[in-house]
Amino acid sequence: MKGTLKQRVADTRESETFVSLRPYRLDGSDSLVDPVDPTTARIIPADAARRHQLLAFARVGTCVWLAAVHPHDIMGTFMELGLPSSYTYRWCYAEREDLLFAQDRVYGMVDREGGERLGSYLLRTGRITTQDLVAALADQNVDEAGQKLGAILLQRGVITNWNIAEAVASQRGYPLIDLLGQTALTNNLVSSRLDGAWALAEERFWHRHLMVPLDEDEQTLTVAMVDVDDREALEYLEKTAKKRLRVFVTGSRDVVHVLNQRFGATQSLESQLSLFRLRPEDSAATPVSRAQWLWMLALLMVAMVGFILRPVWTGTFLAATVEVVYASVSLFRLMTMSAAIRSNTEYVVTEADMQSVPPTSLPEYTVLVPLYKEADVLPMLTKALQQLRYPKDRLDVKLLLEEDDRETLEVALNARLPSYMEIVVVPHSEPQTKPKACNYGLAKARGEYVVIFDAEDVPEPDQLLKAVTIFREEQNENLACIQAKLSYYNENQNILTRWFTAEYSNWFELLLPSLFRLDMPIPLGGTSNHFRTDVLRALGAWDPFNVTEDADLGIRLHKSGYRTGVMNSTTFEEANSDFVNWVRQRSRWVKGYIQTWFVHMRHPVRLFEELGNVGFWGFQSTIGGMPLQFLLNPILWGLTVAWYVFGSSYLQHVFSGWIYYLGNVSLFFGNVAFIYANLMGVVKAQRWSLAKWCLLTPVYWVFMSIAAYKALYQFFLRPSYWEKTIHGMASEHFASTVDQMGAGM
Amino acid sequence: MGMVASSQELLNQEPNPSQFFPQGVPRAVRRIGLTMALLSGVVSLTTGYLLVFRYHQLFGDAISRAIVGMYMTWDGHFHLAAMGFYWSPLLSLFSVPFALARHWWPPLMTYGFSANILSALFAAVGVYHLYRILWRFGLSQWASVVWTSLYLLNPLILLYSANGMSDAIECAILLAMVDGLVEYLQTDRLGALVRSATWLAAAFMVRYESVPIGACLGIALVLSIWIRTKNWYRAEAIGLALLFPIVMAGIIWMLLGAMIMHNPFYFLNSRYSNGAQISTGSYNFPQVLAARHHLGVTLYQVFRFMDNFWAYAPAAVTVAVLQFRRRTDSIGISLLAASFGAPLLQIVLLYSHRSADWQRFFIYYIPFGFLLFAYVIWKLPIRWRSWFAWMGCFALVASNYAALEAMKSPVWGNGDTSVYQAVFDSQRGSLKDNANYMTLEQGEVEAHYINAHPHLVVLISTFDSPLVMPFIRRPGQIIFSGEPSYDSILENPLGRANAILTVPNSPHSLGADTSINRMYPGLWAGHVSWTKLIHQWKNGDRLYAVLKDAP
């Protein structure tokens, strides 16, 4: 077998085998297998191996296998390596990256561009193991979004933000500063001494670039920041301050801590009053205006006088008005819904569409999750959010926890949350509502887009990608919001959840897409609305005094010329399975609609001009019509019974002629049509098992009316009181839905 | 991306093409279909005009339905109760605008020509939808044109598309229903399913045959979807979506009957129902009596009426065979089942002696025969489809000819032979021998008498004197049986009516069944003491004055 080295080298010329030097995973095993044998590799000195770009990676008996990027080019200098002549050598081709990575594993890492690389530093300082590094590099290799190694290690939970800060400081020679737990320093930073430095940029700038000013003198502005490569931020500050910049590296949580200290109080106040300051007429802080009170009182007086003087005429007039309004609202809604039955009225984003958006171009996305007394669902919620198909280094998830909710806070603080999830503690103040918490979170948001999810939500994993795809491809600056559909994961828990799901199917499959198609204002659903952050801020965000802030925001978007689309992505929620809890939730919704109607009807003519003809009547039909119908139903049912059972002669005078026929059309045709619309909603949503339950929908309408009267009562007495919906009554469904989503089912 | 730039663009957007079937019917197909519909409407209306004004062929039920529209607006206000609640309501409701326009052209009511207009309109609807279905079944443009024309030119379809009766209207509505259903099953477009269900409900409001047709169709559809998808909930949901409107239409109809006539089944068991009328013996034709409680004869008769469209039988058998030999197809099995609906109903009615065997009751063999025949051609290999479509025209022509032959037969053309004779038979008598025309003339004479005596306030039963009212000049002179206060006034006429118009009350005649003769059996013969004969007409109708000792 043995021959001269030259002959042995000549043998290798015959071989054109390629080899992968990447660690691989055997089926069913968690650990990685490294194809490179370090002992064999050391046959060749490190510097020679790096110089010649080769590696001895395996030995079988006396045969040593060599990998090189260009084996043929090395032949001439092969003798210089001084390899032991007791072996025969077989050559293989290898990819350059594979080879360099393998050499790093065997000989230790070097920074080829100058300075030590992050992985090498972390490995050397014992922050991570080789296994961690190999796995993270493998992830990075397949990651199309171009995430940095540090971000991937963070997501894997093997290092902290502070570790990265240390590494960056070491690599780049920047000084490192710890801002956490240093009360004196933090107080100094947020004191008026640095007001000039803080004033160099808007609050949003500091949040977006994760940096804070540390000091300022006549020549120098000192800042602490997370990403020292953020040229945009550095140049802006340099230009604005007209001073030399001195940069400290720090951790992201350090920056957030200082920003909270600096802006917390302002943000808290803004979360309450931003809309009120910006557009006081659109705020529900005053639910009913003075003029509206006067109108109501005047109408009441006229009605009373009319009943005393001319009871039949007055009754007839009222009956006619009620019947016309009722029938018009019904007809309008049915016609609207029919648009969605006739053709597709929503954005349909396919996998191919999503792939057309380069992953590296995906922007930062803020996810706001307001939580109040949701300790039980927090673990599943975080799991659901982790399943979102979006580069995690561009996710800015904010769990908005109320200051007085100690239980949830404790659970959240003890949970090992991923690095992109931040706990935001909302200071206690009135009104203690979800919109106020969202406003507070929005003030800290870094994303180009922002979405709201509720505590018990399970969004489809690709929902954020779909929203970005629509925003990108639409290229319509007026499209400010994309509403995902909402549905329930516990639809078959009991009859209430069945009806509730059927109603949601009708709402999200038929009504909202049709409103979009017909260019009418869309009352947004409570969650899964994806906004352009800048538009949302410009509008004053959510009204903290409105208990259906989502619906109100949809109207304000439309008034300002923006549009809301509906997309083919669903967020699954927990349907209320308990009647009392359901009434609580529903009464809040109805109350919110009443609030929204009164707020926007302060100036009906102006509203007509802002919404346009179709939009105005769409608003009346959905926002005004829905609560009105729930409130009128029991009265009309009662009158029907009085007519047919007791044969009231007064009613026969009042409901005479066409009023009688219109009433009957509403009674018979209207009820049937709305039951059928519900049925169509579940068929469109392919919730087949619910179809037969739709036939019993009129019972559900009775429940609606109960909730509506509670809402009316509360509207006048506790307008901004937030009736808390208890979640976690379908935890098994929640968990299984999260698992199904994770498994891509 | 299946995404649009703005809501306005969405409005202009054509539906997405399906992978297998085009979702929407292309504009060109719609245009040809509409042209065919327009031509059909013109042909039907012209035929109707000739029938009424040249051949004086008036059809009692058609006139009655038209006049019900007039009853509902008799005093200038709308009275739903005047509808009567024995006819299915849709055509009567459609007659209301014509009734309001009768002052401009009285024949709309006096000749009941509004019913002929409605027939022609629906003929156009039916032809349009048949054309769309044929296109969906893969027939070429010209083959579809010829087939559609042959459908309209079927003697029975043409006659009933022109004469104001409800039978061809029902066929047209069923074709529209099938069009929606086929579109839904081919494309999954929800709108098509809703359209189909709405047409089915409309069919109920025209004729009650829609009930067995809908039931058969629904059962077949649900079962076929269940077998195909193994998903019972899905089948159940689609079945509900299809049948819910017709079921609710039925329930509302019964509720209205209960509220207004105090009998939810008034349309079934009132004295004006088919069953009640046949019990008077008026329709005891030999073949009706032969079928009574004799299943064999009943089946034979129902089978023999396939003469209306003999191609139905081989087409139905072929479709059935296809369902067993190939994978069950929801379209085929649904069409087949729906085609059984009307004949099954007739089997039950004839066997139980609750209906007469009018030829028009078996008209449904024609539209369903066309559909099943077209379905069979659709299922052929594409290379044969065109050839068979054209060859099939011969079968269609032959079937149409057979229908004409059946029409000539007094047995199998029951109810229509007289029309054929009036139009084509050179041995016919006077064109004005049509019984309804004679009634019309008589009605006019009686109305003139009432018009000439403005002090009279006359109680009239619309069941036996329907054709008086169209000629009345002052509505206040008439209290007719559709008015809510009619029964009360009939019982106590003093001070509320001063005359009663009645028809001869002979046993086993329809005259015995009027509300007046039931309440006062001796009135016509002059045996009611508080009345006095004012006038008698040559057909036997009499007008009695109500005297002061009346109740």
Side-chain angles (χ1 to χ4, degrees):
Chain A
M1 288 292 290
K2 289 183 182 178
T4 64
L5 185 59
K6 218 169 191 174
Q7 279 174 325
R8 275 175 262 144
V9 171
D11 289 344
T12 66
R13 287 180 185 165
E14 305 297 322
S15 168
E16 286 203 355
T17 308
F18 281 85
V19 65
S20 167
L21 300 176
R22 291 209 162 238
Y24 56 89
R25 208 181 295 275
L26 290 173
D27 287 346
S29 168
D30 288 336
S31 60
L32 291 158
V33 176
D34 194 338
V36 177
D37 173 20
T39 310
T40 308
R42 289 196 173 85
I43 291 173
I44 305 173
D47 56 340
R50 289 192 196 278
R51 191 167 63 249
H52 293 289
Q53 292 194 343
L54 65 85
L55 185 72
F57 67 94
R59 182 172 67 84
V60 181
T62 57
C63 181
V64 172
W65 294 77
L66 300 169
V69 179
H70 304 293
H72 297 280
D73 297 346
I74 310 169
M75 295 303 172
T77 55
F78 188 74
M79 300 297 285
E80 296 169 17
L81 296 174
L83 295 177
S85 58
S86 51
Y87 295 114
T88 56
Y89 298 93
R90 311 283 301 181
W91 286 92
C92 298
Y93 287 87
E95 293 286 343
R96 182 173 181 275
E97 287 300 315
D98 276 14
L99 193 76
L100 295 181
F101 180 31
Q103 286 173 339
D104 284 350
R105 296 202 299 276
V106 175
Y107 305 123
M109 285 194 164
V110 290
D111 182 0
R112 296 175 181 85
E113 283 77 35
E116 192 176 18
R117 300 174 83 192
L118 177 69
S120 172
Y121 173 85
L122 294 172
L123 203 56
R124 182 169 59 76
T125 54
R127 303 291 185 204
I128 58 171
T129 63
T130 310
Q131 284 274 346
D132 294 333
L133 181 62
V134 165
L137 286 167
D139 281 358
Q140 191 184 23
N141 196 43
V142 296
D143 179 47
E144 294 176 345
Q147 294 188 88
K148 291 180 177 174
L149 182 67
I152 293 172
L153 286 166
L154 270 174
Q155 288 157 32
R156 299 178 70 87
V158 293
I159 58 168
T160 64
N161 283 299
W162 183 251
N163 297 144
I164 293 185
E166 285 177 325
V168 170
S170 166
Q171 273 183 309
R172 313 290 291 274
Y174 284 99
L176 181 68
I177 188 165
D178 177 3
L179 302 173
L180 281 177
Q182 301 196 48
T183 315
L185 174 63
T186 315
N187 287 343
N188 193 27
L189 293 181
V190 300
S191 70
S192 57
R193 193 181 67 79
L194 280 177
D195 279 354
W198 284 109
L200 289 171
E202 286 183 353
E203 177 190 338
R204 212 164 297 152
F205 172 89
W206 303 110
H207 280 289
R208 190 156 67 87
H209 295 286
L210 282 175
M211 65 196 304
V212 293
L214 289 179
D215 198 9
E216 186 181 27
D217 58 30
E218 288 183 359
Q219 280 86 38
T220 314
L221 172 67
T222 309
V223 294
M225 63 194 300
V226 174
D227 182 4
V228 292
D229 291 328
D230 187 348
R231 301 307 311 166
E232 181 196 340
L234 292 171
E235 281 168 14
Y236 175 82
L237 279 182
E238 211 162 30
K239 194 174 153 191
T240 317
K242 297 189 178 68
K243 289 176 185 174
R244 192 166 58 83
L245 280 186
R246 187 170 174 228
V247 175
F248 278 74
V249 179
T250 191
S252 59
R253 292 195 190 267
D254 299 60
V255 172
V256 168
H257 173 67
V258 176
L259 291 175
N260 283 344
Q261 294 290 313
R262 170 72 191 179
F263 297 113
T266 325
Q267 287 168 346
S268 176
L269 198 62
E270 279 299 300
S271 66
Q272 292 170 272
L273 298 173
S274 64
L275 178 67
F276 188 74
R277 283 178 178 158
L278 196 68
R279 303 171 76 163
E281 291 286 303
D282 281 349
S283 168
T286 309
V288 183
S289 70
R290 186 191 297 263
Q292 286 172 328
W293 275 120
L294 288 174
W295 267 104
M296 283 194 286
L297 285 172
L299 288 174
L300 197 65
M301 291 293 289
V302 170
M304 284 171 63
V305 172
F307 272 116
I308 292 165
L309 298 179
R310 296 276 183 184
V312 175
W313 284 14
T314 310
T316 305
F317 178 78
L318 277 178
T321 308
V322 164
E323 290 297 347
V324 168
V325 169
Y326 195 100
S328 304
V329 168
S330 301
L331 189 65
F332 197 89
R333 281 176 60 193
L334 287 170
M335 286 173 66
T336 306
M337 284 188 276
S338 71
I341 291 175
R342 285 201 302 271
S343 59
N344 178 42
T345 52
E346 66 195 28
Y347 287 111
V348 179
V349 187
T350 63
E351 188 63 37
D353 298 325
M354 286 187 278
Q355 283 174 2
S356 70
V357 177
T360 49
S361 72
L362 289 170
E364 199 154 9
Y365 216 119
T366 297
V367 178
L368 299 179
V369 190
L371 301 163
Y372 189 57
K373 299 192 175 166
E374 308 281 11
D376 293 343
V377 298
L378 190 65
M380 290 315 294
L381 167 72
T382 53
K383 191 175 175 186
L385 293 174
Q386 286 177 63
Q387 290 170 358
L388 286 174
R389 234 178 85 194
Y390 202 83
K392 300 295 185 285
D393 65 333
R394 270 153 273 179
L395 265 186
D396 170 31
V397 178
K398 296 194 187 306
L399 305 179
L400 310 173
L401 277 64
E402 297 286 339
E403 193 178 21
D404 63 354
D405 182 11
R406 304 306 310 170
E407 190 188 356
T408 314
L409 261 172
E410 196 173 322
V411 172
L413 290 169
N414 291 329
R416 287 197 63 196
L417 295 176
S419 59
Y420 52 88
M421 288 191 195
E422 180 192 341
I423 296 168
V424 175
V425 182
V426 182
H428 180 75
S429 63
E430 290 298 331
Q432 191 172 19
T433 57
K434 173 182 159 188
K436 193 198 70 182
C438 289
N439 284 344
Y440 191 73
L442 181 69
K444 299 171 188 300
R446 297 195 300 273
E448 185 178 334
Y449 303 112
V450 60
V451 60
I452 312 286
F453 290 128
D454 271 352
E456 83 289 9
D457 279 4
V458 187
E460 284 182 345
D462 57 7
Q463 192 172 108
L464 270 55
L465 278 178
K466 283 187 173 177
V468 171
T469 308
I470 295 169
F471 280 125
R472 285 277 171 84
E473 298 212 357
E474 180 76 340
Q475 294 185 338
N476 176 2
E477 288 303 313
N478 289 336
L479 183 70
C481 177
I482 303 289
Q483 168 77 60
K485 298 177 193 176
L486 303 182
S487 193
Y488 294 125
Y489 44 68
N490 59 330
E491 64 190 48
N492 283 316
Q493 192 175 346
N494 59 32
I495 194 165
L496 190 60
T497 61
R498 289 187 177 104
W499 283 331
F500 207 168
T501 312
E503 184 199 7
Y504 251 42
S505 301
N506 175 281
W507 190 258
F508 286 98
E509 297 289 342
L510 302 183
L511 189 66
L512 294 196
S514 297
L515 291 177
F516 167 58
R517 178 192 164 119
L518 300 172
D519 200 19
M520 293 181 192
I522 293 183
L524 301 174
T527 83
S528 308
N529 5 76
H530 301 250
F531 299 96
R532 290 185 198 277
T533 312
D534 53 345
V535 173
L536 188 56
R537 283 185 170 129
L539 285 174
W542 296 275
D543 181 357
F545 296 94
N546 192 316
V547 291
T548 48
E549 75 294 343
D550 34 25
D552 170 69
L553 183 56
I555 306 303
R556 281 192 284 125
L557 279 169
H558 204 91
K559 278 167 71 173
S560 303
Y562 293 106
R563 293 294 174 264
T564 302
V566 179
M567 68 173 159
N568 65 331
S569 179
T570 303
T571 297
F572 294 90
E573 298 191 293
E574 178 188 335
N576 236 316
S577 52
D578 174 74
F579 177 71
V580 175
N581 198 29
W582 179 92
V583 170
R584 208 178 285 140
Q585 183 185 47
R586 182 51 58 121
S587 64
R588 173 164 57 78
W589 292 357
V590 176
K591 181 172 70 174
Y593 270 50
I594 298 173
Q595 276 184 319
T596 306
W597 189 85
F598 271 96
V599 164
H600 294 284
M601 282 296 284
R602 282 172 186 163
H603 302 286
V605 177
R606 192 193 301 166
L607 183 70
F608 185 87
E609 288 166 357
E610 287 171 330
L611 293 179
N613 187 17
V614 173
F616 181 80
W617 293 114
F619 168 82
Q620 301 300 345
S621 164
T622 48
I623 302 294
M626 197 264 286
L628 183 72
Q629 286 192 318
F630 294 153
L631 291 169
L632 283 177
N633 277 344
I635 298 172
L636 295 175
W637 294 330
L639 291 176
T640 307
V641 171
W643 172 288
Y644 287 111
V645 177
F646 305 113
S648 158
S649 62
Y650 174 74
L651 288 179
Q652 288 179 0
H653 281 105
V654 166
F655 285 88
S656 59
W658 62 271
I659 304 172
Y660 170 80
Y661 289 114
L662 192 59
N664 274 301
V665 168
S666 289
L667 178 68
F668 294 120
F669 177 73
N671 282 317
V672 169
F674 278 109
I675 294 171
Y676 196 56
N678 261 11
L679 182 58
M680 285 301 107
V682 301
V683 171
K684 190 163 186 222
Q686 302 196 350
R687 299 248 169 186
W688 309 113
S689 66
L690 300 181
K692 59 177 171 286
W693 302 100
C694 292
L695 306 184
L696 298 173
T697 307
V699 183
Y700 187 62
W701 295 337
V702 176
F703 296 174
M704 297 268 217
S705 292
I706 293 170
Y709 274 96
K710 185 182 174 198
L712 187 68
Y713 168 78
Q714 278 201 352
F715 173 69
F716 288 108
L717 297 182
R718 304 177 75 185
S720 294
Y721 173 64
W722 189 275
E723 284 266 27
K724 167 76 185 134
T725 309
I726 299 164
H727 294 128
M729 289 189 283
S731 45
E732 284 178 16
H733 295 91
F734 188 15
S736 65
T737 309
V738 172
D739 291 341
Q740 282 172 17
M741 287 289 171
M745 290 162 73
Chain B
M1 182 165 56
M3 183 169 103
V4 290
S6 69
S7 52
Q8 188 54 45
E9 282 182 37
L10 245 178
L11 286 171
N12 300 330
Q13 182 184 254
E14 283 290 321
N16 293 331
S18 154
Q19 191 179 354
F20 302 108
F21 297 98
Q23 287 247 335
V25 178
R27 192 169 292 168
V29 174
R30 284 206 301 265
R31 201 179 297 135
I32 299 171
L34 286 170
T35 308
M36 290 300 298
L38 183 68
L39 287 172
S40 306
V42 170
V43 169
S44 303
L45 193 61
T46 308
T47 310
Y49 185 87
L50 292 173
L51 277 176
V52 172
F53 296 105
R54 179 176 163 79
Y55 296 106
H56 301 289
Q57 294 304 304
L58 304 181
F59 294 78
D61 288 1
I63 296 174
S64 295
R65 279 200 184 87
I67 290 178
V68 166
M70 191 180 66
Y71 299 159
M72 285 193 278
T73 53
W74 182 245
D75 60 357
H77 298 286
F78 184 75
H79 291 291
L80 186 71
M83 185 189 283
F85 291 91
Y86 39 92
W87 299 119
S88 304
L90 194 67
L91 298 180
S92 299
L93 287 170
F94 282 171
S95 296
V96 169
F98 295 104
L100 296 172
R102 69 181 185 275
H103 301 297
W104 285 284
W105 195 37
L108 285 173
M109 289 294 120
T110 55
Y111 286 79
F113 194 65
S114 66
N116 301 76
I117 295 173
L118 284 175
S119 281
L121 281 175
F122 276 96
V125 170
V127 161
Y128 174 68
H129 286 284
L130 177 62
Y131 187 85
R132 285 166 56 111
I133 298 168
L134 295 177
W135 174 79
R136 289 202 167 278
F137 283 169
L139 264 69
S140 69
Q141 175 183 319
W142 286 109
S144 300
V145 168
V146 173
W147 276 53
T148 314
S149 307
L150 288 172
Y151 170 76
L152 182 71
L153 293 176
N154 179 291
L156 209 55
I157 291 292
L158 182 60
L159 173 63
Y160 281 87
S161 294
N163 67 1
M165 299 286 277
S166 58
D167 307 85
I169 294 177
E170 181 79 349
C171 291
I173 291 176
L174 290 172
L175 284 172
M177 180 272 290
V178 170
D179 178 30
L181 186 66
V182 171
E183 183 177 336
Y184 172 71
L185 292 172
Q186 283 186 342
T187 66
D188 257 356
R189 288 184 80 190
L190 198 56
L193 180 62
V194 174
R195 217 170 56 231
S196 179
T198 310
W199 280 116
L200 187 58
F204 171 79
M205 293 197 283
V206 172
R207 289 193 66 82
Y208 300 123
E209 279 90 343
S210 54
V211 174
I213 291 173
C216 291
L217 173 66
I219 291 168
L221 182 71
V222 168
L223 290 179
S224 68
I225 292 173
W226 182 37
I227 291 167
R228 199 161 42 82
T229 63
K230 311 287 182 226
N231 183 343
W232 169 252
Y233 288 127
R234 180 178 181 160
E236 178 188 74
I238 293 170
L240 275 175
L242 179 71
L243 297 180
F244 180 76
I246 188 175
V247 171
M248 291 316 296
I251 290 173
I252 290 174
W253 186 234
M254 286 192 280
L255 264 176
L256 290 175
M259 282 159 45
I260 296 169
M261 310 308 289
H262 309 294
N263 176 6
F265 300 105
Y266 190 78
F267 61 98
L268 271 183
N269 58 18
S270 76
R271 57 180 178 264
Y272 305 118
S273 66
N274 271 354
Q277 288 181 35
I278 208 162
S279 68
T280 65
S282 311
Y283 302 135
N284 276 344
F285 310 125
Q287 61 273 22
V288 172
L289 294 173
R292 184 170 59 182
H293 306 312
H294 195 300
L295 188 60
V297 175
T298 304
L299 289 174
Y300 170 73
Q301 288 192 15
V302 171
F303 188 79
R304 264 309 297 271
F305 274 109
M306 280 182 203
D307 280 358
N308 286 350
F309 194 77
W310 67 257
Y312 167 82
V317 170
T318 313
V319 172
V321 170
L322 282 174
Q323 300 312 306
F324 287 110
R325 294 198 58 176
R326 294 187 186 178
R327 195 158 164 258
T328 307
D329 169 38
S330 293
I331 295 177
I333 202 113
S334 302
L335 282 181
L336 189 65
S339 75
F340 295 154
L344 281 174
L345 176 70
Q346 293 309 324
I347 289 171
V348 172
L349 293 179
L350 283 173
Y351 180 80
S352 57
H353 195 60
R354 296 183 66 82
S355 175
D357 59 348
W358 306 110
Q359 187 186 18
R360 63 191 173 92
F361 286 177
F362 300 89
I363 197 171
Y364 306 98
Y365 286 129
I366 303 168
F368 281 111
F370 267 80
L371 294 175
L372 291 172
F373 205 0
Y375 175 86
V376 171
I377 288 176
W378 180 41
K379 289 293 158 185
L380 292 170
I382 292 175
R383 62 181 183 280
W384 294 352
R385 205 181 280 168
S386 176
W387 190 84
F388 269 89
W390 287 110
M391 288 303 105
C393 292
F394 292 108
L396 301 179
V397 171
S399 293
N400 284 358
Y401 180 74
L404 187 67
E405 287 300 308
M407 196 185 267
K408 291 181 192 171
S409 152
V411 175
W412 309 116
N414 189 8
D416 302 322
T417 311
S418 59
V419 182
Y420 176 83
Q421 287 170 343
V423 176
F424 296 110
D425 192 346
S426 58
Q427 300 301 312
R428 66 185 173 221
S430 164
L431 284 173
K432 297 188 176 181
D433 285 350
N434 176 286
N436 292 310
Y437 189 80
M438 290 160 65
T439 311
L440 180 73
E441 285 188 321
Q442 182 60 33
E444 190 173 6
V445 169
E446 292 171 14
H448 282 168
Y449 183 86
I450 296 169
N451 288 335
H453 298 83
H455 67 283
L456 289 176
V457 177
V458 184
L459 274 167
I460 284 183
S461 163
T462 52
F463 182 66
D464 49 25
S465 307
L467 298 176
V468 175
M469 290 176 65
F471 298 99
I472 293 291
R473 287 201 207 115
R474 288 174 291 273
Q477 279 193 268
I478 299 294
I479 296 165
F480 66 97
S481 50
E483 291 192 51
S485 56
Y486 172 81
D487 285 341
S488 154
I489 296 175
L490 186 61
E491 272 185 63
N492 301 291
L494 187 64
R496 300 155 87 186
N498 56 21
I500 302 174
L501 180 66
T502 183
V503 296
N505 184 6
S506 56
H508 308 301
S509 77
L510 291 177
D513 208 41
T514 75
S515 51
I516 292 172
N517 283 336
R518 278 173 183 247
M519 175 75 83
Y520 306 113
L523 175 64
W524 184 81
H527 298 149
V528 174
S529 60
W530 44 268
T531 60
K532 181 187 171 191
L533 183 66
I534 305 174
H535 195 84
Q536 177 170 350
W537 288 274
K538 61 183 176 186
N539 71 334
D541 288 1
R542 291 177 176 178
L543 186 66
Y544 280 93
V546 176
L547 302 180
K548 288 186 178 171
D549 55 342

